[in-house]
């Protein structure tokens, strides 16, 4: 089923991650550090977009959500918990949501952060160690 939704793309900066949500390919990705001055203001449009996307999402569609977050501050963590809870609720409602969290094996705090999120969620959550070069 085609969607009328537009993709959302936000370039990353020193303190904000790159955001790319594509409703046609059903891929959502967040890459980079997250410590914006006002995390709630930064993530508010992203959460609103996600609400609309999940509402129109058909159950036979598989959504791939990718995270690469070397560092997130406390207020960003709260925003991510809200975001991941929305995905978890969609999964509980029968939608096919897959979460892939890529971490650097040398970044222990990134791995621990991912594990803490994983413990609170029921959706398929894949913790994947990135290859280091």
């Amino acid at each position: 089923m085609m969607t009328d939704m537009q993709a959302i793309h936000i370039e990353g900066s020193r303190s904000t991650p790159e955001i790319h949500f594509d409703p046609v390919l059903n891929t959502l990705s967040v890459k980079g550090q997250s410590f914006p001055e006002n995390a709630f203001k930064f993530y508010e449009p992203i959460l609103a977009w996600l609400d609309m996307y999940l509402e129109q999402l058909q159950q036979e569609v598989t959504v791939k959500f990718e995270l690469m977050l070397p560092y997130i501050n406390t207020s960003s963590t709260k925003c991510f918990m809200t975001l991941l809870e929305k995905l978890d609720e969609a999964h509980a409602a029968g939608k096919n949501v897959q979460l892939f969290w890529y971490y650097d094996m040398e970044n222990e705090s990134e791995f621990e952060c991912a594990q803490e999120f994983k413990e609170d969620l029921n959706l398929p959550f894949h913790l994947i160690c990135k290859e280091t070069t």
Side-chain angles (χ1 to χ4, degrees):
M1 180 176 184
M2 294 298 291
T3 179
D4 294 333
M5 290 192 70
Q6 298 293 312
I8 183 171
H9 184 81
I10 300 170
E11 291 292 333
S13 73
R14 188 183 66 80
S15 61
T16 58
E18 175 186 352
I19 308 287
H20 188 76
F21 289 0
D22 188 326
V24 176
L25 298 175
N26 297 297
T27 57
L28 317 174
S29 71
V30 181
K31 298 177 183 175
Q33 300 188 103
S34 182
F35 54 97
E37 193 168 307
N38 186 334
F40 297 102
K41 185 176 179 185
F42 178 77
Y43 285 103
E44 187 177 33
I46 297 162
L47 293 169
W49 186 96
L50 187 62
D51 282 339
M52 289 187 292
Y53 172 72
L54 292 173
E55 189 173 310
Q56 59 83 47
L57 183 64
Q58 303 296 308
Q59 290 196 341
E60 66 272 12
V61 173
T62 299
V63 178
K64 184 175 183 182
F65 186 61
E66 296 182 321
L67 289 172
M68 292 179 212
L69 298 167
Y71 172 76
I72 58 175
N73 67 2
T74 302
S75 58
S76 293
T77 300
K78 291 176 185 172
C79 295
F80 269 97
M81 197 65 229
T82 301
L83 188 152
L84 295 176
E85 283 173 350
K86 290 178 186 296
L87 295 173
D88 205 40
E89 288 169 11
H91 171 72
K95 297 185 179 180
N96 191 358
V97 180
Q98 302 274 325
L99 174 60
F100 297 84
W101 189 310
Y102 298 90
Y103 68 94
D104 184 334
M105 67 183 297
E106 295 179 2
N107 186 343
E108 193 172 309
S109 64
E110 181 182 17
F111 178 70
E112 289 173 1
C113 179
Q115 280 193 313
E116 287 176 20
F117 278 120
K118 185 175 182 177
E119 289 172 7
D120 293 333
L121 300 168
N122 294 310
L123 75 164
F125 192 124
H126 310 278
L127 255 175
I128 301 168
C129 182
K130 290 188 293 190
E131 294 291 327
T132 55
T133 55

